[in-house]
Amino acid sequence: DTPIDYMSHYHLIDIPVHFMAGLNDNLIPAKDCFKHYKTLHRVSPGLATCKPLAGRGHIDFTYGIDQEIGNEIFSHAAPSALKRPDTESSISESVSSAGSATSPAIT
């Protein structure tokens, strides 16, 4: 069996997609992530954004303990998805209050 060619179906995507790529990822090279970003951006420029993260590898995304990665994820999440059920505060407020160094974004 041949795997599905996702990129030939990117015209069906109608929600924003934020790609993140660790520039030191040896499992999924950043160039592969950029390829998907560029393909979606070509079809739907308003839906595709991308953030390369210098010095990050696959394990940084897997464990999710990197503050910049967390901030990046929460900055692109829908506000309703970030509300804590037991309080009026949001998860993104907690994460963003910690601060972090930044890497350049691709838009």
Side-chain angles (χ1 to χ4, degrees):
D1 290 328
T2 305
I4 187 170
D5 178 8
Y6 291 104
M7 289 192 277
S8 67
H9 294 88
Y10 273 8
H11 66 281
L12 300 173
I13 295 175
D14 61 357
I15 59 170
V17 178
H18 185 61
F19 296 91
M20 296 172 61
L23 298 181
N24 289 1
D25 192 330
N26 294 321
L27 185 60
I28 301 174
K31 68 178 179 61
D32 292 347
C33 184
F34 298 149
K35 183 178 177 182
H36 283 274
Y37 160 72
K38 290 175 185 177
T39 301
L40 180 58
H41 189 265
R42 197 174 316 119
V43 175
S44 301
L47 296 180
T49 55
C50 185
K51 174 85 172 201
L53 293 159
R56 303 321 192 290
H58 200 81
I59 203 76
D60 296 305
F61 291 90
T62 303
Y63 286 136
I65 58 174
D66 185 292
Q67 189 68 42
E68 185 179 5
I69 292 172
N71 287 344
E72 188 66 22
I73 291 168
F74 291 127
S75 74
H76 289 275
S80 61
L82 298 177
K83 287 292 180 191
R84 293 180 178 183
D86 60 337
T87 180
E88 290 298 312
S89 68
S90 69
I91 295 169
S92 61
E93 290 168 353
S94 300
V95 172
S96 64
S97 66
S100 71
T102 59
S103 295
I106 297 175
T107 56

